[in-house]
Amino acid sequence: MKKLSFYLSFVAILISFASMQTLISCQEKTKEKLEDAKDAIKEEVKETIDSAKIKAEARLDSAKIKAKAKVDSIKLKGAEKMEATAKKIKESVSK
């Protein structure tokens, strides 16, 4: 009877030890998964920021090109008006 209770106690200890090992193993796997998830989120955020930066630079370049085109157009119109005014002045002086 003493041997039976000793063996049952021993089996109970082994089962509890195995349960603790499983728990510790699960905790380690969970930590690894959390680290992997954290790394994946960091990478995704970095990619999103890079993508937004590229889009913003493209829009800025487009805006610069449009602004330069408008400035050039205004300069051309101003030069045309100056030429017309200069022509009128020459005509009025020569009369």
Side-chain angles (χ1 to χ4, degrees), residues 9-86:
S9 300
F10 185 70
V11 169
I13 291 171
L14 287 177
I15 290 173
S16 66
F17 183 71
S19 297
M20 288 175 45
Q21 288 295 337
T22 303
L23 181 61
I24 292 170
S25 175
C26 288
Q27 287 176 347
E28 290 173 0
K29 288 179 183 176
T30 302
K31 286 179 184 178
E32 289 174 12
K33 288 181 181 179
L34 286 173
E35 287 296 321
D36 291 343
K38 187 169 61 170
D39 292 342
I41 289 171
K42 282 181 184 178
E43 188 63 30
E44 189 174 328
V45 168
K46 183 182 176 201
E47 288 174 2
T48 303
I49 290 171
D50 291 344
S51 175
K53 183 179 176 183
I54 290 169
K55 287 179 183 178
E57 287 173 349
R59 288 181 181 168
L60 181 61
D61 290 345
S62 175
K64 284 180 181 178
I65 291 169
K66 287 179 182 178
K68 186 176 182 328
K70 285 184 180 182
V71 167
D72 290 345
S73 174
I74 291 170
K75 284 180 180 178
L76 183 62
K77 287 179 183 177
E80 289 172 352
K81 286 183 181 181
M82 286 179 68
E83 283 182 22
T85 304

